[in-house]
Amino acid sequence: MSSLKKALDAAIEISLETLSGREQAEPMYDALIESHRGCSEAADRKRLAMAYNNRGQIKYRRVDFNEAVDDYTEAIALDSSLAVAFYNRGQIHYRLARYQLAVNDFEVCLTLQADFPDCQLNMDQAKADIALQQQGLNSSFN
């Protein structure tokens, strides 16, 4: 088992649902990402992508949206088949009223993972909000 897999497994074991879990996991993800930057093995790149995605989740829950988007973008650069990273980045674009960017990410997510009901629902809502904007009305979110 690679050191990256061991480190990622250890970080994943920590619940990100609690503040203390996120505070404990974030430095683990930071160290894991720093120590494995530039890895070239496909399996390690996928693991590193998941580390970026998971660290992005921590930042998202802390409402550090721009930093979270950066992590999701890094995850996608490492593994363009990681549907959840597109979904997560799309969620932030939606929350920031960047509806077309949200739709773009949701569409890629659904191309990669067609059976993702939350993504479909959120894409439909983003499209509805684009239509409202075009009519000069407020979105349903704002």
Side-chain angles (χ1 to χ4, degrees), residues 86 89-90 93-94 98-106 130:
F86 285 99
R89 190 172 69 178
H93 288 315
Y94 182 82
R98 300 186 297 222
Y99 303 124
Q100 189 57 58
L101 291 173
V103 167
N104 296 347
D105 278 344
F106 293 149
I130 289 170

Side-chain angles (χ1 to χ4, degrees), residues 4-112:
L4 178 56
K5 181 170 180 5
K6 288 178 188 174
L8 183 58
D9 288 348
I12 288 172
E13 288 297 315
I14 299 169
S15 172
L16 300 183
E17 299 300 318
T18 66
L19 178 59
S20 64
R22 291 189 297 273
E23 288 173 347
Q24 185 181 0
E26 187 170 12
M28 293 174 77
Y29 284 118
D30 291 342
L32 186 149
I33 288 167
E34 187 59 35
S35 66
H36 291 86
R37 261 187 231 277
C39 64
S40 58
E41 275 188 50
D44 282 347
R45 288 177 60 83
K46 286 185 176 293
R47 290 183 186 108
L48 190 56
M50 187 55 71
Y52 272 108
N53 180 76
N54 292 356
R55 188 175 73 174
Q57 280 296 100
I58 294 168
K59 292 174 179 181
Y60 172 80
R61 291 180 182 187
R62 198 173 54 220
V63 194
D64 288 337
F65 291 148
N66 291 326
E67 289 183 26
V69 165
D70 290 345
D71 276 353
Y72 297 138
T73 300
E74 285 292 329
I76 291 165
L78 287 162
D79 181 3
S80 61
S81 69
L82 187 59
V84 72
F86 285 99
Y87 174 75
N88 289 335
R89 190 172 69 178
Q91 286 286 90
I92 292 173
H93 288 315
Y94 182 82
R95 296 240 357 230
L96 297 175
R98 300 186 297 222
Y99 303 124
Q100 189 57 58
L101 291 173
V103 167
N104 296 347
D105 278 344
F106 293 149
E107 286 176 341
V108 174
C109 177
L110 288 167
T111 298
L112 295 168

